[in-house]
Coordinates of all heavy atoms in Angstrom, one line a residue:
L1 N 99.0 104.9 91.5 CA 97.8 105.2 92.3 C 98.0 104.5 93.7 O 98.6 103.5 93.8 CB 96.5 104.7 91.7 CG 96.3 105.1 90.3 CD1 94.9 104.5 89.8 CD2 96.3 106.6 90.1
S2 N 97.4 105.2 94.7 CA 97.5 104.7 96.1 C 96.0 104.7 96.6 O 95.2 105.5 96.2 CB 98.3 105.6 97.0 OG 99.7 105.6 96.5
C3 N 95.8 103.8 97.5 CA 94.5 103.7 98.2 C 94.8 103.4 99.6 O 95.3 102.3 99.9 CB 93.6 102.6 97.5 SG 92.1 102.3 98.4
V4 N 94.5 104.3 100.5 CA 94.7 104.2 101.9 C 93.4 103.8 102.6 O 92.4 104.5 102.4 CB 95.3 105.4 102.5 CG1 95.5 105.2 104.0 CG2 96.6 105.8 101.8
A5 N 93.4 102.7 103.4 CA 92.2 102.3 104.0 C 92.3 102.6 105.5 O 93.4 102.5 106.1 CB 92.0 100.8 103.8
S6 N 91.1 102.8 106.1 CA 91.1 103.0 107.6 C 89.8 102.4 108.1 O 88.8 102.3 107.3 CB 91.2 104.5 107.9 OG 90.2 105.2 107.4
G7 N 89.7 102.1 109.3 CA 88.5 101.6 109.9 C 88.2 100.1 109.7 O 87.1 99.6 109.9
L8 N 89.2 99.4 109.2 CA 89.1 97.9 108.9 C 90.4 97.2 109.2 O 91.4 97.9 109.3 CB 88.6 97.7 107.5 CG 89.3 98.3 106.3 CD1 90.6 97.7 106.0 CD2 88.4 98.2 105.1
I9 N 90.3 95.9 109.3 CA 91.5 95.1 109.5 C 92.1 94.9 108.1 O 91.7 93.9 107.4 CB 91.3 93.8 110.2 CG1 90.7 94.2 111.6 CG2 92.6 93.0 110.4 CD1 90.2 93.0 112.4
F10 N 92.9 95.7 107.6 CA 93.3 95.8 106.2 C 93.9 94.4 105.7 O 93.6 94.0 104.6 CB 94.3 96.9 106.0 CG 94.8 97.0 104.6 CD1 94.0 97.7 103.6 CD2 96.0 96.6 104.2 CE1 94.4 97.8 102.3 CE2 96.5 96.7 102.9 CZ 95.7 97.4 101.9
S11 N 94.6 93.8 106.5 CA 95.4 92.6 106.1 C 94.5 91.4 105.7 O 94.9 90.6 104.9 CB 96.4 92.1 107.2 OG 95.7 91.8 108.4
V12 N 93.3 91.4 106.1 CA 92.4 90.3 105.8 C 91.6 90.5 104.5 O 91.0 89.6 104.0 CB 91.4 89.9 106.9 CG1 92.2 89.7 108.2 CG2 90.3 90.9 107.1
Y13 N 91.6 91.7 104.0 CA 90.8 92.1 102.9 C 91.5 91.8 101.6 O 92.7 92.1 101.5 CB 90.4 93.5 102.9 CG 89.2 93.8 103.8 CD1 89.4 93.8 105.2 CD2 88.0 94.1 103.3 CE1 88.3 94.1 106.1 CE2 86.9 94.3 104.1 CZ 87.1 94.3 105.5 OH 86.0 94.5 106.3
N14 N 90.8 91.3 100.6 CA 91.2 91.3 99.2 C 91.0 92.7 98.7 O 90.0 93.3 99.0 CB 90.5 90.3 98.4 CG 90.6 88.9 98.9 OD1 91.7 88.4 99.3 ND2 89.5 88.2 99.0
M15 N 92.0 93.2 97.9 CA 91.9 94.6 97.4 C 91.8 94.5 95.9 O 92.5 93.8 95.2 CB 93.1 95.4 97.9 CG 93.2 95.5 99.4 SD 91.8 96.3 100.2 CE 91.8 97.9 99.4
H16 N 91.0 95.4 95.4 CA 90.7 95.4 93.9 C 90.8 96.8 93.4 O 90.5 97.8 94.1 CB 89.3 94.9 93.6 CG 89.0 93.6 94.3 ND1 89.4 92.4 93.7 CD2 88.3 93.3 95.4 CE1 88.9 91.4 94.5 NE2 88.3 91.9 95.6
W17 N 91.3 97.0 92.2 CA 91.2 98.2 91.4 C 90.3 98.1 90.2 O 90.4 97.1 89.5 CB 92.6 98.6 90.9 CG 93.5 99.1 92.0 CD1 94.5 98.5 92.6 CD2 93.6 100.5 92.5 NE1 95.2 99.3 93.5 CE2 94.6 100.5 93.4 CE3 92.8 101.6 92.2 CZ2 94.9 101.7 94.1 CZ3 93.1 102.8 92.9 CH2 94.2 102.8 93.9
Y18 N 89.4 99.1 90.1 CA 88.4 99.1 89.0 C 88.7 100.4 88.2 O 89.1 101.4 88.7 CB 87.0 99.1 89.5 CG 86.5 97.8 90.1 CD1 86.9 97.4 91.3 CD2 85.6 97.1 89.3 CE1 86.4 96.2 91.8 CE2 85.1 95.9 89.8 CZ 85.5 95.4 91.1 OH 85.0 94.2 91.5
H19 N 88.3 100.2 86.9 CA 88.4 101.4 86.0 C 87.1 101.6 85.4 O 86.4 100.7 85.0 CB 89.4 101.0 84.9 CG 89.4 101.9 83.7 ND1 89.4 101.5 82.4 CD2 89.5 103.3 83.7 CE1 89.4 102.6 81.6 NE2 89.5 103.7 82.3
Q20 N 86.7 102.9 85.3 CA 85.4 103.3 84.7 C 85.7 104.4 83.7 O 86.1 105.5 84.1 CB 84.4 103.7 85.7 CG 83.0 103.9 85.1 CD 81.9 104.1 86.1 OE1 82.2 104.4 87.3 NE2 80.7 103.8 85.7
S21 N 85.5 104.1 82.5 CA 85.7 105.2 81.4 C 84.3 105.8 81.2 O 83.3 105.2 81.4 CB 86.3 104.6 80.2 OG 85.6 103.5 79.7
P22 N 84.3 107.0 80.7 CA 83.0 107.7 80.5 C 82.0 106.9 79.6 O 82.4 106.4 78.6 CB 83.4 109.0 79.7 CG 84.8 109.2 80.2 CD 85.4 107.8 80.3
G23 N 80.8 106.7 80.1 CA 79.8 106.0 79.4 C 79.8 104.5 79.6 O 79.0 103.8 78.9
N24 N 80.8 104.0 80.3 CA 80.9 102.6 80.4 C 80.8 102.1 81.9 O 80.8 102.9 82.8 CB 82.3 102.1 79.9 CG 82.4 102.3 78.4 OD1 81.6 101.9 77.7 ND2 83.4 103.0 78.0
Q25 N 80.6 100.8 82.0 CA 80.5 100.2 83.4 C 81.9 100.2 84.0 O 82.9 100.1 83.3 CB 79.9 98.8 83.3 CG 78.4 98.8 82.9 CD 77.8 97.4 83.0 OE1 78.5 96.4 82.8 NE2 76.6 97.4 83.3
R26 N 81.9 100.1 85.3 CA 83.1 99.9 86.1 C 83.6 98.5 85.8 O 82.9 97.5 85.9 CB 82.8 100.1 87.6 CG 83.9 100.5 88.4 CD 83.4 100.9 89.8 NE 82.7 102.1 89.8 CZ 82.3 102.7 91.0 NH1 82.6 102.2 92.1 NH2 81.6 103.9 90.9
E27 N 84.9 98.4 85.5 CA 85.5 97.1 85.2 C 86.7 96.8 86.1 O 87.5 97.7 86.4 CB 86.0 97.1 83.7 CG 84.9 97.2 82.7 CD 85.4 97.1 81.3 OE1 86.6 97.4 81.1 OE2 84.6 96.7 80.4
L28 N 86.8 95.6 86.5 CA 87.9 95.1 87.4 C 89.2 95.1 86.5 O 89.2 94.4 85.5 CB 87.6 93.8 88.0 CG 88.7 93.2 88.9 CD1 88.9 94.0 90.1 CD2 88.3 91.8 89.3
V29 N 90.2 95.7 87.0 CA 91.5 95.6 86.3 C 92.6 94.9 87.0 O 93.5 94.4 86.4 CB 92.0 97.0 85.8 CG1 91.0 97.7 84.9 CG2 92.2 97.9 87.0
A30 N 92.6 94.9 88.4 CA 93.6 94.2 89.1 C 93.1 93.9 90.5 O 92.3 94.6 91.1 CB 94.8 95.1 89.2
T31 N 93.6 92.8 91.0 CA 93.3 92.3 92.3 C 94.5 91.8 93.0 O 95.4 91.2 92.4 CB 92.3 91.1 92.2 OG1 91.1 91.5 91.7 CG2 92.1 90.4 93.6
I32 N 94.6 92.1 94.3 CA 95.6 91.5 95.2 C 94.9 90.9 96.4 O 94.2 91.6 97.1 CB 96.8 92.4 95.5 CG1 97.9 91.7 96.3 CG2 96.3 93.6 96.3 CD1 99.2 92.5 96.4
T33 N 95.1 89.6 96.6 CA 94.4 88.9 97.7 C 95.1 89.2 99.0 O 96.2 89.8 99.1 CB 94.3 87.4 97.4 OG1 95.6 86.9 97.4 CG2 93.6 87.1 96.1
N34 N 94.5 88.7 100.1 CA 95.0 88.9 101.4 C 96.3 88.1 101.6 O 97.1 88.4 102.4 CB 94.0 88.6 102.5 CG 93.4 87.2 102.4 OD1 93.9 86.4 101.6 ND2 92.3 87.0 103.1
D35 N 96.5 87.1 100.7 CA 97.8 86.4 100.8 C 98.7 86.7 99.6 O 99.6 85.9 99.2 CB 97.6 84.8 100.9 CG 96.9 84.3 99.7 OD1 96.4 85.1 98.8 OD2 96.7 83.1 99.6

């Protein structure tokens, strides 16, 4: 999967991936910090 960001200073942001299966809440699966 890819996620392209625009309109922000990307390098300072922590980036997260969430998963939501049918009928369930969105859950955090992976994070990569700005460092």
Side-chain angles (χ1 to χ4, degrees):
L1 307 184
S2 301
C3 171
V4 180
S6 60
L8 50 72
I9 303 173
F10 182 77
S11 60
V12 306
Y13 280 75
N14 301 316
M15 299 299 298
H16 311 275
W17 284 99
Y18 285 76
H19 170 228
Q20 186 169 22
S21 54
N24 292 308
Q25 290 188 330
R26 204 172 288 190
E27 296 182 337
L28 180 64
V29 296
T31 291
I32 185 164
T33 64
N34 53 15
D35 62 356

